[in-house]
């Protein structure tokens, strides 16, 4: 999504630009020649990645060979630090400027790895307000451009029309279920989420948006024994839902932008948790809580993530009352903090991708003609 937004913003300023790299359906639709499909890199966890390393290394080598063949004027790497800092290193060796858009969350763990950004990146464009100072204090040229989801418009579809389209009962409360965007995440998170849905019972409709990185048939196989409605997009499901049960990640920011109260859940393998927990440098897991500096939404992680605890937390925020009102106010404040900074030469209403595009073009890309900037995304 972020890569597609950025490509479109760059092309509005210079229609001659061409793009190749790592991406998915949205980046292809925006005009990127995806020489590596992002789905093939969608692995999460420390232990889980080991069996995928040979395949990932092969894809990495293929991307670098394509870069050597096409000789891009600029490399833009997006998120996915384990893969992309290595891409950045190879580009730097070749004298190709590198921009990091959606910089790694090294503030959360492995802070020493900031040196990888400092050594191989010419410019970091960060999407959380506290990241600019974190990176600048460590010698990285970083600028906060705003979060790409901060200006998401509310879906145009009316609730009754949406209900008709997906055979939902508009008289019931709807609850959005979002177990993650990778197969391993879904396998770890969805069973307890489904148990919670079963305990909540038939008084609710349960909507499960199908992430672009997942196959619908895979989710159908896991939900076939319950009344769970699979829907194609997350934002309308969140917007029309009374509450959500949402795995840690970008979906929690989407829920905040739609002002949908939710419970954050997450589980990884026991070994990954034991290896990773001591390295975590932040007091909270949910992105909205980190942005707010306090607990806006409840966090149920690993052993605390049980169906019973999910149900208890959801029941606190479903009815109108102080708990729901406090969460809605907190989500509103989080959305405000993610807006692009005001002032300077840019418009206060400028989309983060447009702000990022203008900074990228100042690196000299505007005079590159029709050569191909590489965009690495995950």
């Amino acid at each position: 999504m972020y890569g597609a937004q950025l490509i479109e913003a760059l092309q509005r300023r210079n229609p001659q630009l061409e793009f190749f790299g790592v991406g998915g359906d949205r980046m292809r639709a925006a005009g990127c020649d995806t020489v590596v499909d992002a789905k093939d890199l969608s692995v999460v966890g420390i232990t889980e990645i080991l069996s995928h390393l040979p395949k990932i290394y092969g894809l990495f080598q293929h991307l670098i060979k394509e870069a050597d063949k096409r000789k891009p004027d600029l490399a833009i790497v997006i998120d996915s630090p384990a893969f992309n800092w290595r891409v950045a290193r190879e580009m730097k060796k070749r004298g190709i400027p590198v921009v990091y858009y959606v910089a790694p969350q090294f503030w959360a763990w492995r802070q020493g790895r900031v040196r990888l950004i400092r050594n191989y990146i010419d410019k970091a464009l960060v999407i959380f307000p506290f990241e600019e100072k974190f990176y600048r204090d460590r010698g990285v040229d970083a600028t906060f451009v705003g979060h790409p989801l901060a200006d998401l418009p509310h879906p145009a579809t009316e609730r009754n029309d949406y209900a008709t389209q997906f055979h939902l009962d508009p008289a019931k409360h709807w609850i959005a279920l979002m177990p993650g965007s990778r197969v391993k995440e879904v396998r770890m998170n969805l069973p307890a989420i489904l148990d919670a849905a079963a305990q909540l019972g038939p008084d609710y409709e349960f909507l499960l948006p199908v992430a672009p990185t997942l196959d619908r048939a895979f989710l159908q196989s896991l939900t076939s024994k319950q009344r769970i409605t699979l829907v194609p997009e997350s934002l309308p499901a969140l917007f029309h839902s009374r509450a959500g049960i949402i795995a840690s990640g970008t979906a929690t920011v989407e829920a905040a932008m739609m002002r949908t109260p939710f419970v954050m859940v997450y589980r990884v393998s026991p070994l990954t948790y034991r290896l990773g927990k001591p390295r975590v440098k932040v007091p909270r897991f949910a992105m909205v809580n980190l942005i707010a500096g306090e607990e806006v939404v409840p966090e149920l992680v690993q052993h605390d993530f049980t169906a019973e605890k999910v149900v208890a937390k959801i029941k606190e925020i479903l009815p109108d009352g102080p708990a729901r009102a406090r969460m809605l106010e907190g989500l509103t404040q989080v959305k405000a903090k993610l807006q692009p900074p005001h002032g300077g030469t840019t418009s206060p209403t400028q989309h983060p991708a447009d702000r990022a595009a203008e900074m990228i073009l100042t690196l000299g890309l505007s005079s590159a003609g029709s050569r191909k900037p590489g965009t690495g995304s995950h």
Side-chain angles (χ1 to χ4, degrees):
M1 183 195 302
Y2 302 161
Q5 288 178 348
L6 184 57
I7 288 169
E8 290 163 357
L10 286 164
Q11 286 181 328
R12 283 195 293 272
R13 288 157 176 79
N14 186 345
Q16 290 184 305
L17 294 175
E18 297 178 19
F19 301 82
F20 74 94
V22 183
D25 292 340
R26 286 173 174 163
M27 284 176 62
R28 277 189 287 274
C32 183
D33 179 6
T34 52
V35 299
V36 174
D37 196 300
K39 279 186 179 180
D40 294 328
L41 300 178
S42 293
V43 185
V44 66
I46 297 171
T47 60
E48 292 84 351
I49 201 171
L50 294 177
S51 62
H52 293 81
L53 280 177
K55 176 184 177 183
I56 292 171
Y57 184 71
L59 294 171
F60 170 77
Q61 291 292 101
H62 177 59
L63 179 65
I64 301 306
K65 287 178 182 176
E66 284 294 315
D68 286 338
K69 185 193 307 180
R70 305 187 192 208
K71 301 187 185 308
D73 295 285
L74 180 76
I76 304 167
V77 292
I78 304 175
D79 203 5
S80 191
F83 187 86
N84 273 332
W85 82 257
R86 292 171 170 86
V87 174
R89 179 179 61 185
E90 294 302 313
M91 296 301 100
K92 195 72 172 177
K93 286 180 183 177
R94 290 155 174 79
I96 298 167
V98 184
V99 174
Y100 216 127
Y101 184 43
V102 189
Q105 295 171 7
F106 288 149
W107 40 266
W109 73 316
R110 306 180 83 177
Q111 293 187 359
R113 291 233 157 180
V114 171
R115 72 182 186 279
L116 301 175
I117 304 296
R118 190 169 56 242
N119 292 343
Y120 303 123
I121 301 297
D122 295 277
K123 181 72 178 179
L125 303 175
V126 301
I127 64 171
F128 296 109
F130 53 82
E131 291 181 318
E132 181 175 292
K133 183 178 188 302
F134 172 83
Y135 276 111
R136 284 187 176 272
D137 286 350
R138 289 158 180 80
V140 177
D141 182 6
T143 301
F144 171 56
V145 295
H147 197 290
L149 300 180
D151 291 323
L152 281 177
H154 288 167
T157 308
E158 295 291 335
R159 192 172 190 272
N160 286 337
D161 294 337
Y162 192 84
T164 300
Q165 183 179 356
F166 294 105
H167 310 290
L168 300 164
D169 185 348
K172 293 181 179 180
H173 283 324
W174 302 352
I175 298 176
L177 311 178
M178 301 186 70
S181 60
R182 301 174 178 92
V183 170
K184 183 68 176 182
E185 285 181 314
V186 172
R187 292 194 184 281
M188 296 300 293
N189 295 323
L190 188 56
I193 292 175
L194 292 178
D195 286 346
Q199 290 184 29
L200 286 165
D203 291 341
Y204 304 94
E205 294 277 13
F206 299 100
L207 286 63
L208 200 165
V210 180
T213 49
L214 296 172
D215 291 325
R216 185 182 179 89
F218 165 66
L219 291 172
Q220 284 177 324
S221 70
L222 298 176
T223 61
S224 59
K225 295 182 180 179
Q226 291 177 241
R227 178 172 164 73
I228 307 293
T229 303
L230 301 186
V231 294
E233 295 181 78
S234 58
L235 297 182
L238 286 167
F239 182 63
H240 292 302
S241 289
R242 180 72 175 177
I245 306 170
I246 303 176
S248 179
T250 302
T252 63
V253 180
E254 290 182 328
M257 298 307 100
M258 296 296 106
R259 294 187 79 246
T260 302
F262 66 95
V263 176
M264 190 222 83
V265 299
Y266 207 69
R267 181 179 288 131
V268 293
S269 72
L271 181 56
T272 290
Y273 187 75
R274 284 199 298 272
L275 291 172
K277 185 66 166 64
R279 294 169 171 80
V280 174
K281 306 297 183 185
V282 291
R284 300 175 180 88
F285 289 95
M287 188 56 67
V288 294
N289 292 341
L290 290 168
I291 296 164
E294 61 182 2
E295 184 173 292
V296 173
V297 302
E299 302 181 358
L300 300 176
V301 177
Q302 207 66 8
H303 306 300
D304 286 332
F305 176 20
T306 66
E308 291 74 20
K309 289 185 178 181
V310 172
V311 170
K313 294 296 185 182
I314 281 287
K315 285 185 174 180
E316 288 178 11
I317 59 174
L318 280 170
D320 289 327
R324 183 176 179 86
R326 278 195 305 270
M327 190 177 293
L328 286 170
E329 176 60 26
L331 296 179
T332 299
Q333 292 177 9
V334 167
K335 180 171 183 174
K337 288 186 177 183
L338 292 180
Q339 295 290 333
H342 290 206
T345 59
T346 58
S347 165
T349 59
Q350 191 177 39
H351 190 277
D354 289 301
R355 187 175 173 86
E358 289 186 358
M359 293 186 180
I360 288 167
L361 289 175
T362 65
L363 295 177
L365 188 55
S366 57
S367 61
S370 60
R371 291 179 65 194
K372 304 173 177 62
T375 306
S377 176
H378 180 155

